[in-house]
């Protein structure tokens, strides 16, 4: 009987210890939950980590192969300044660059004003720098026609064939289209193209648009000012063969913009690296070879409000 009571006592102790162990496990489980919470915070922080390879995106304002070649030394030098791999990637058009930034496949975009407005509105991209050309942070779009065309005014463009880079181009499409819509009373860009012009060509680049006019495939091209200088080597008489019919209002220069995923400290490093190129003749020459940048300057989001206002007229009517 004593043995029986002893066994009962031992069994009771075992059950008691087991119960204590269960409580201990529950406490440990609570600690694990706390650890998991910390890990979750760590994953959120990872969204702001510096990428192994920083990708810069470009759009084809000129021949894509030419840009691809000229951005290589820029990527190499920026990589040296930042201490990481930097890759340059030429996109098919403006919208492709915006979408790539939205997907964080491109972290630094050399993106024109309208592209920046889209990237900012849709994906919270941030403008950090802008180009300076001929001492100015703004530029105008121009209407290019053949000098022997007989076209002397915007009114003369009615029924003619219009060449532009693509519908996402600030100077190639948006500002000229806006000006013509206001001038001739059209509510949408689609109406302008179908009712005012006799046809249109989306050429894929400003130089291609000018060449279309030069070759007689289009009557007018809308481009940045002055695209003809880009063509002089291949077309030595282009300044005489093509004339400037007129200009649009001022447009903010193109940007260097970054995605929201990059850490603020790293964005500042990128900014300082680019600004340091102003004191390096070789790097400024590379920037000039890429996009005709003479200097790099700081930029603010407010500078692009005029482009936002223009965009509101087009957002429901153009295909990007």
């Amino acid at each position: 009987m004593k043995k029986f009571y002893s066994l009962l006592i031992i069994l009771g102790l075992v059950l008691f210890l087991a119960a204590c162990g269960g409580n201990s496990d529950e406490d440990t489980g609570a600690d694990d939950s706390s650890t998991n919470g910390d890990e979750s915070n760590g994953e959120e922080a990872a969204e702001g980590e510096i990428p192994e390879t920083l990708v810069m995106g470009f759009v084809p304002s000129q021949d894509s192969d030419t840009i691809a070649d000229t951005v290589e030394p820029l990527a190499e030098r920026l990589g040296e300044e930042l201490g990481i791999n930097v890759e340059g990637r030429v996109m098919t058009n403006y919208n492709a660059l915006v979408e790539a930034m939205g997907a964080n496949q491109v972290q630094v975009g050399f993106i024109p004003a309208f592209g920046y407005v889209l990237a900012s509105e849709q994906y919270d991209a941030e403008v950090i720098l802008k180009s300076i050309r001929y001492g100015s942070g703004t530029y105008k779009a121009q209407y290019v026609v053949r000098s022997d065309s007989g076209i002397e005014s915007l009114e003369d463009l009615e029924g003619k064939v219009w060449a532009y880079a693509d519908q996402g181009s600030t100077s190639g499409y948006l500002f000229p289209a806006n000006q013509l819509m206001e001038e001739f009373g059209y509510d949408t860009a689609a109406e302008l193209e179908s009712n005012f012009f006799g046809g249109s060509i989306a050429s894929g680049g400003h130089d291609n648009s000018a060449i279309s006019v030069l070759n007689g495939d289009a009557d007018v091209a809308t481009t940045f000012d002055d695209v003809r200088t880009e063509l002089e080597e291949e077309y030595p008489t282009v300044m005489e063969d093509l004339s400037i019919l007129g200009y649009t209002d001022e447009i903010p220069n193109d940007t260097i913009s970054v995605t929201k995923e990059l850490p603020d400290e790293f964005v500042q490093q990128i900014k300082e690296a680019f600004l340091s190129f102003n004191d390096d003749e070789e790097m400024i020459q590379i920037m000039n070879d890429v996009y005709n940048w003479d200097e790099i300057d700081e930029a603010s989001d407010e500078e692009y409000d005029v482009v936002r206002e223009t965009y509101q007229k087009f957002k429901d009517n153009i295909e990007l």
Side-chain angles (χ1 to χ4, degrees), residues 56-123:
M56 296 187 298
F58 301 83
V59 290
S61 66
Q62 51 181 308
D63 183 78
S64 297
D65 292 335
T66 300
I67 294 181
D69 291 338
T70 53
V71 301
E72 287 184 13
L74 174 59
E76 182 178 345
R77 177 61 182 277
L78 183 62
E80 292 174 359
E81 293 289 328
L82 299 176
I84 64 170
N85 292 325
V86 177
E87 172 191 336
R89 188 177 300 172
V90 181
M91 314 304 292
T92 55
N93 55 38
Y94 298 87
N95 194 50
L97 177 53
V98 171
E99 293 303 315
M101 293 182 72
N104 201 30
Q105 296 169 349
V106 169
Q107 292 81 39
V108 179
F110 279 69
I111 189 167
F114 176 58
Y116 165 66
V117 167
L118 288 180
S120 172
E121 179 178 287
Q122 297 176 9
Y123 303 115

Side-chain angles (χ1 to χ4, degrees), residues 12-273:
L13 287 171
V14 169
L15 292 173
F16 175 75
L17 291 173
C20 290
N23 291 337
S24 175
D25 288 342
E26 288 176 6
D27 292 341
T28 302
D31 291 340
D32 287 344
S33 174
S34 176
T35 302
N36 290 337
D38 292 340
E39 288 174 358
S40 175
N41 291 336
E43 289 175 2
E44 291 178 5
E47 294 181 359
E49 288 182 355
I50 298 172
E52 291 185 8
T53 297
L54 184 72
V55 180
M56 296 187 298
F58 301 83
V59 290
S61 66
Q62 51 181 308
D63 183 78
S64 297
D65 292 335
T66 300
I67 294 181
D69 291 338
T70 53
V71 301
E72 287 184 13
L74 174 59
E76 182 178 345
R77 177 61 182 277
L78 183 62
E80 292 174 359
E81 293 289 328
L82 299 176
I84 64 170
N85 292 325
V86 177
E87 172 191 336
R89 188 177 300 172
V90 181
M91 314 304 292
T92 55
N93 55 38
Y94 298 87
N95 194 50
L97 177 53
V98 171
E99 293 303 315
M101 293 182 72
N104 201 30
Q105 296 169 349
V106 169
Q107 292 81 39
V108 179
F110 279 69
I111 189 167
F114 176 58
Y116 165 66
V117 167
L118 288 180
S120 172
E121 179 178 287
Q122 297 176 9
Y123 303 115
D124 295 326
E126 175 190 1
V127 60
I128 57 173
L129 299 164
K130 66 183 177 185
S131 66
I132 299 294
R133 295 188 183 93
Y134 310 109
S136 176
T138 62
Y139 70 109
K140 295 179 180 180
Q142 62 184 21
Y143 298 85
V144 182
V145 298
R146 281 194 61 90
S147 300
D148 59 4
S149 66
I151 299 174
E152 298 180 353
S153 67
L154 295 181
E155 288 84 355
D156 293 338
L157 296 178
E158 186 172 4
K160 301 297 192 293
V161 177
W162 174 26
Y164 55 82
D166 68 59
Q167 290 186 331
S169 173
T170 315
S171 59
Y173 189 88
L174 294 176
F175 269 63
N178 183 56
Q179 182 180 34
L180 294 172
M181 286 161 57
E182 292 181 348
E183 182 86 9
F184 301 112
Y186 291 99
D187 294 326
T188 69
E191 290 178 359
L192 178 71
E193 286 199 51
S194 61
N195 297 331
F196 180 75
F197 285 107
S200 60
I201 299 171
S203 71
H206 293 252
D207 54 349
N208 292 335
S209 296
I211 292 170
S212 294
V213 174
L214 195 61
N215 291 338
D217 298 322
D219 299 298
V220 60
T222 47
T223 71
F224 62 79
D225 176 24
D226 187 346
V227 72
R228 295 178 298 172
T229 59
E230 300 293 304
L231 302 174
E232 281 189 287
E233 184 175 347
E234 186 175 357
Y235 302 92
T237 61
V238 67
M239 300 300 285
E240 293 78 34
D241 294 338
L242 296 181
S243 298
I244 308 306
L245 181 65
Y247 299 91
T248 65
D249 292 335
E250 297 286 341
I251 305 169
N253 278 0
D254 37 337
T255 78
I256 298 177
S257 300
V258 297
T259 57
K260 64 180 180 179
E261 285 82 4
L262 292 180
D264 292 342
E265 298 82 359
F266 187 55
V267 169
Q268 186 62 30
Q269 291 177 35
I270 295 171
K271 186 175 181 179
E272 291 173 357

